[in-house]
């Protein structure tokens, strides 16, 4: 889908609906996108609880013909570095051919009664492009319960640059639909970029 005023307006409207510093978020996203056509987008506002504080943040994902753009904005309370509350916003632009994995996990209720096309209860979208990897190690062992030899370690490395959870209960069915559509668009775009 080429960038049209409808696509741009849809992205801006989604940022406005999030209600989370829309002028700041929109400016950061639009600067990162530049004049490139927008293929798909997802706006996800989340509230978390940190000790005695409520924190909000928003993540905006944008897909263009050549790039995947992530924008994340957090708010911070006044602290020793700032006498007033403040927000930090960052954007990262990743070439599509750098994306190594797009994982979409779906959670459905009553799977024995699942009807194709039914909206999942929640989805988790995990995207990896090599900026962050998680390494899980554990001691290796053999099958002998009496063995006390050192067998070293075994483990796995997982690309874990971005993980985003969207639920019908917390975010609404439309956001779940948008997450599914964005994941499909990104998967298709990365497959095309690899050719």
């Amino acid at each position: 889908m080429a960038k049209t005023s409808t696509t741009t307006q849809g992205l801006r409207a989604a940022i406005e609906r999030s209600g989370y510093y829309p002028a700041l978020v929109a400016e950061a996203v639009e600067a990162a996108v530049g004049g490139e056509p927008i293929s798909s987008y997802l706006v996800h506002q989340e509230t978390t609880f940190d000790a005695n504080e409520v924190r909000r943040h928003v993540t905006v994902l944008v897909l263009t013909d050549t790039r995947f753009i992530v924008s994340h904005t957090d708010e911070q309370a006044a602290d020793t570095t700032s006498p007033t509350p403040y927000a930090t916003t960052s954007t990262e632009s990743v070439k599509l051919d750098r994306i190594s994995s797009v994982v979409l996990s779906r959670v459905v209720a009553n799977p024995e009664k699942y009807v194709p096309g039914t909206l999942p209860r929640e989805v988790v979208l995990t995207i990896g492009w090599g900026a962050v990897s998680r390494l899980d190690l554990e001691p290796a062992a053999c099958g002998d319960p009496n063995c006390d030899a050192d067998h070293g370690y075994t483990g796995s490395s997982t690309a874990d640059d971005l993980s985003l959870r969207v639920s019908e209960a917390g975010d609404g069915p439309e956001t779940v639909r948008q997450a599914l559509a964005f994941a499909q668009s990104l998967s298709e775009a990365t497959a095309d970029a690899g050719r």
Side-chain angles (χ1 to χ4, degrees):
M1 173 189 329
K3 182 176 182 179
T4 65
S5 60
T6 304
T7 305
T8 302
Q9 289 171 354
L11 174 56
R12 183 168 277 274
I15 291 171
E16 293 280 341
R17 270 193 310 277
S18 80
Y20 187 83
Y21 307 121
L24 173 65
V25 173
E27 181 180 56
V29 170
E30 289 168 3
V33 171
E36 208 171 344
I38 297 171
S39 301
S40 186
Y41 61 86
L42 174 63
V43 177
H44 182 249
Q45 192 270 329
E46 185 175 12
T47 302
T48 57
F49 300 95
D50 182 17
N52 295 331
E53 295 182 23
V54 176
R55 294 186 183 263
R56 298 182 308 152
H57 53 107
V58 68
T59 303
V60 179
L61 309 179
V62 177
L63 179 62
T64 71
D65 292 341
T66 61
R67 298 179 297 146
F68 165 64
I69 298 165
V70 181
S71 176
H72 187 79
T73 305
D74 285 302
E75 64 183 357
Q76 305 293 326
D79 59 21
T80 57
T81 64
S82 176
T84 60
Y86 61 98
T88 57
T89 187
S90 62
T91 57
E92 183 172 0
S93 177
V94 181
K95 289 183 177 183
L96 289 177
D97 62 2
R98 292 229 352 142
I99 294 178
S100 56
S101 66
V102 178
V103 180
L104 182 67
S105 300
R106 302 166 187 244
V107 177
V108 297
N110 301 314
E112 70 281 357
K113 297 178 183 176
Y114 179 76
V115 176
T118 302
L119 200 60
R121 183 168 71 193
E122 71 180 56
V123 296
V124 178
L125 175 60
T126 304
I127 304 164
W129 58 91
V132 177
S133 292
R134 182 180 65 225
L135 187 60
D136 296 320
L137 292 175
E138 61 185 41
C142 67
D144 181 358
N146 297 320
C147 180
D148 60 358
D150 182 357
H151 294 286
Y153 288 88
T154 185
S156 62
S157 176
T158 308
D160 197 17
D161 295 305
L162 174 74
S163 190
L164 192 69
R165 178 184 171 269
V166 178
S167 71
E168 186 176 23
D171 304 296
E174 186 53 35
T175 304
V176 174
R177 279 188 200 88
Q178 290 172 348
L180 291 168
F182 185 84
Q184 181 174 349
S185 295
L186 183 59
S187 289
E188 291 170 357
T190 57
D192 290 343
R195 290 184 187 153

